[in-house]
Amino acid sequence: QVQLVQSGAEVKKPGSSVKVSCKGSGDTFSTYALIWVRQAPGQGLEWMGGVIPTFSTAKYAEKFQDRVTITPDKSTNTAYMELSNLRPEDTAIYYCARGTILTGWGSWGQGTLVTVS
Amino acid sequence: SYVLTQPPSVSVARGKTATITCGGDDIGSKAVHWYQQMPGQAPIMVIHYDSDRPSGIPERFSGSNSGNTATLTISRVEAGDEADYYCQVWDSDTEHVVFGGRTKLTVL
């Protein structure tokens, strides 16, 4: 079973940025896609974007297009999600997940709580 | 953008069968995946590619997909199945991952 280990909880001020890491084991980025999903308190899952080997660049949801950057580091099997211009409504648990667009997301990180206050 | 519609809640008596639907335009032409999320935990995949079970998922979990509706069926429901469930597809038109709006399963 692939393990995805995310960085720890963060507390940020409005207007600042946060960078969350997700370290995978094995051949995480060469064959598989890695996405970021967030979950606001009491809410459902929301796709933010991801790195998919088929495409040359990361794909982002329109809602986050101008504020999020997802970058993989193949040398360390680590992916990063940076969200800028933070607002209180960005308070959420941020998950990374690995899989493919055909077979879904079978491995998930433990989640990183980001609090904006 | 592509929209997946799930009922907010489903209740079922222990030992009975729970059915959770996921509606979408021509969803039968897409691969549908289902996730279970327990309180305070990360989601886990319980069905992928419409009806396949990942390793370790009980046979009580099954899925189907046709027309405009995909369905997750949980047979012989146990108290431990009480959780939130999400359907998910890949929208090839927008190249986006799409999640349904969550169904809370309550076991009576």
Side-chain angles (χ1 to χ4, degrees):
Chain A
Q1 181 76 0
V2 172
Q3 291 248 349
L4 298 176
V5 179
Q6 298 183 221
S7 49
E10 304 259 15
V11 179
K12 294 292 184 179
K13 296 289 187 186
S16 66
S17 298
V18 67
K19 193 170 187 178
V20 181
S21 68
C22 171
K23 184 172 176 60
S25 59
D27 187 20
T28 295
F29 298 116
S30 299
T31 307
Y32 296 95
L34 193 135
I35 63 171
W36 289 88
V37 176
R38 83 174 186 181
Q39 187 170 38
Q43 302 301 309
L45 303 176
E46 182 176 31
W47 179 70
M48 300 180 68
V51 177
I52 298 168
T54 310
F55 306 112
S56 58
T57 61
K59 297 290 181 181
Y60 301 115
E62 281 77 14
K63 178 177 179 178
F64 304 102
Q65 181 76 37
D66 57 351
R67 293 200 297 138
V68 69
T69 303
I70 294 172
T71 52
D73 182 342
K74 294 183 179 182
S75 66
T76 60
N77 268 331
T78 302
Y80 299 91
M81 186 283 298
E82 183 170 21
L83 187 61
S84 63
N85 192 19
L86 290 168
R87 310 152 185 168
E89 53 267 35
D90 291 319
T91 294
I93 297 175
Y94 291 77
Y95 293 102
C96 61
R98 193 194 88 155
T100 75
I101 61 178
L102 277 182
T103 60
W105 314 100
S107 298
W108 291 69
Q110 82 276 19
T112 297
L113 175 62
V114 175
T115 303
V116 184
S117 176
Chain B
S1 61
Y2 194 78
V3 176
L4 294 174
T5 302
Q6 297 182 231
S9 63
V10 168
S11 298
V12 63
R14 194 179 310 182
K16 299 299 184 182
T17 298
T19 300
I20 299 174
T21 59
C22 175
D25 185 35
D26 195 27
I27 195 174
S29 67
K30 302 180 183 298
V32 178
H33 318 294
W34 290 91
Y35 304 86
Q36 175 194 68
Q37 186 179 33
M38 299 292 189
Q41 297 186 21
I44 64 168
M45 178 186 285
V46 293
I47 291 289
H48 66 98
Y49 216 95
D50 295 342
S51 57
D52 291 343
R53 276 187 318 278
S55 174
I57 301 301
E59 290 183 8
R60 301 184 298 104
F61 287 80
S62 62
S64 64
N65 184 20
S66 178
N68 293 319
T69 305
T71 303
L72 172 68
T73 302
I74 310 172
S75 306
R76 302 181 300 282
V77 166
E78 303 173 355
D81 298 330
E82 193 163 277
D84 290 331
Y85 291 85
Y86 297 86
C87 58
Q88 177 260 310
V89 301
W90 168 257
D91 180 15
S92 57
D93 290 338
T94 59
E95 295 178 345
H96 283 9
V97 173
V98 180
F99 285 96
R102 174 177 64 175
T103 297
K104 179 176 179 57
L105 177 67
T106 300
V107 179
L108 304 173

